[in-house]
Structures are given as C-alpha cells and as structure tokens.
Amino acid sequence: VKARTRSAERTRALGGAIAAWLRPGDVVVLAGDLGSGKTTFVQGLAAGLGVTEPVVSPTFTIVREYEGRVPLAHVDVYRLDRVQELHDAGFEELVDGERITVVEWGDAVQRALPAEHLAVDLESGAAPDERLVEVHTQGPGWSDRLRAIEAAVARFGEEDD
Ligand SMILES: Nc1ncnc2c1ncn2[C@@H]1O[C@H](COP(=O)(O)OP(=O)(O)O)[C@@H](O)[C@H]1O
Ligand SMILES: [Mg+2]
C-alpha cells in the first residue's frame, strides 16, 4: 500500500501511525535514497513508541538504542561495506523478541536481514517536500496486522497516478 506525504511532519505522523501496530521482536526495514526521509520516519515511529529522547541518524555508531514502551534499536547500515560489519555490530543479538529493530538502508544487506519484516520504501515525489512511501509486509507473522497497517497507511493518501 502506498502513501504520499507532503511534509516531514506528515512522514513522522505516518511512522507514528504504524508504530501503534508494532510488537516486540518486529523488524522494520527502510529503503530509499539519502534524504528520502528514512530517519524522519523513524523519529515518528519512535515517538509513537513513547521514546522521548531525540532520534538522530546513528552515523558512525551503526546502532542506537532508545527506551520507549518497547525498547527500540535504530540501525543505519548505509556506511557498511560488508555484511560482516553488521554481525560485528551485534545485529543478530538485537533481533531477540524483546525490542523493535528498525534498519535504515536495508537493501545493502538484504540477505542478512530476517525474512519476516515490515518494508518501508521511500522516494521523492514531484514537489520538493513530497515523498512517496510504500509499505508492505514480508512473512506470515504479519498477516493478522496486515489489514490494520494497510488501513493506517491508506489514510495518508493513495498514490493517484
Ligand atoms: N515529506 C517529507 N518526508 C520526509 N522528509 C521530508 C519531507 N519533506 C522534506 N523532508 C526533509 O527531507 C530530509 C529527510 O532526511 P532524513 O530523514 O535524514 O533522510 P534519510 O534518513 O533517508 O537520509 C529532512 O531534512 C526532512 O525535513
Ligand atoms: Mg537516515
């Protein structure tokens, strides 16, 4: 299902709307060019999980952890050259059923990511502040939430071209 946002604030709101449907153990994989709004989306998602600390890009640290109603791990693999570095950063231990793990730029390390995840793909729209956001679920673990998540995203506007 696709949404269109016309401001960073709306992309944050979309992240917040999706956060309501997340559970411990979930993995959310964000793809899109630099500046497409991945971190912006994570800021809204984190706020929706009750995180009060500001969410910034985990530049050079790879993983940042936040305390919300559910612990949140924010992973940015943009600068990783090899999947080995993801292992070294302790990625497998993060996805442990206790926290929600959000991975920015997951495409680069696709094969190291859990097969079951929520995929969020962002791309620029026609206007400078416009973004097209496509959300889809991977794997049977999401089937009971699929409709609800689709409805939440659809409220942010279908792509109409
Ligand atoms: N509709 C929108 N959605 C998300 N970000 C937007 C939007 N319009 C403008 N922006 C701006 O684009 C930039 C996105 O940056 P960021 O979220 O860090 O991207 P990424 O993590 O994908 O590199 C921010 O400066 C944000 O304010
Ligand atoms: Mg980012």
Side-chain angles (χ1 to χ4, degrees):
V1 61
K2 284 184 181 179
R4 182 200 305 271
T5 65
R6 299 184 195 279
S7 68
E9 205 41 63
R10 285 295 283 169
T11 296
R12 285 191 197 95
L14 178 56
I18 288 174
W21 297 99
L22 299 180
R23 301 176 189 147
D26 283 345
V27 176
V28 179
V29 177
L30 294 146
D33 292 340
L34 207 60
S36 61
K38 300 182 296 298
T39 299
T40 301
F41 180 94
V42 176
Q43 288 167 347
L45 190 149
L49 293 175
V51 172
T52 52
E53 229 184 303
V55 171
V56 295
S57 267
T59 310
F60 304 120
T61 53
I62 303 177
V63 182
R64 276 178 199 269
E65 294 193 71
Y66 297 93
E67 286 305 321
R69 283 189 292 281
V70 178
L72 173 69
H74 181 198
V75 184
D76 193 335
V77 297
Y78 174 59
R79 285 167 188 82
L80 293 193
D81 299 323
R82 297 173 306 119
V83 169
Q84 182 62 40
E85 293 175 72
L86 196 58
H87 296 298
D88 295 346
F91 181 75
E92 285 83 358
E93 288 76 50
L94 276 181
V95 186
D96 64 353
E98 283 174 19
R99 72 201 82 212
I100 291 166
T101 306
V102 179
V103 186
E104 281 193 45
W105 213 280
D107 264 4
V109 288
Q110 196 73 56
R111 65 199 173 84
L113 300 174
E116 295 231 349
H117 61 261
L118 184 77
V120 179
D121 300 329
L122 293 115
E123 59 178 272
S124 298
D129 286 350
E130 188 178 302
R131 300 291 188 273
L132 304 177
V133 189
E134 184 172 357
V135 179
H136 62 269
T137 60
Q138 282 299 326
W142 291 89
S143 57
D144 60 330
R145 293 175 280 172
L146 183 56
R147 286 291 178 78
I149 290 171
E150 281 180 350
V153 175
R155 284 202 298 275
F156 284 75
E158 298 286 341
E159 203 196 358
D160 53 13
D161 58 11

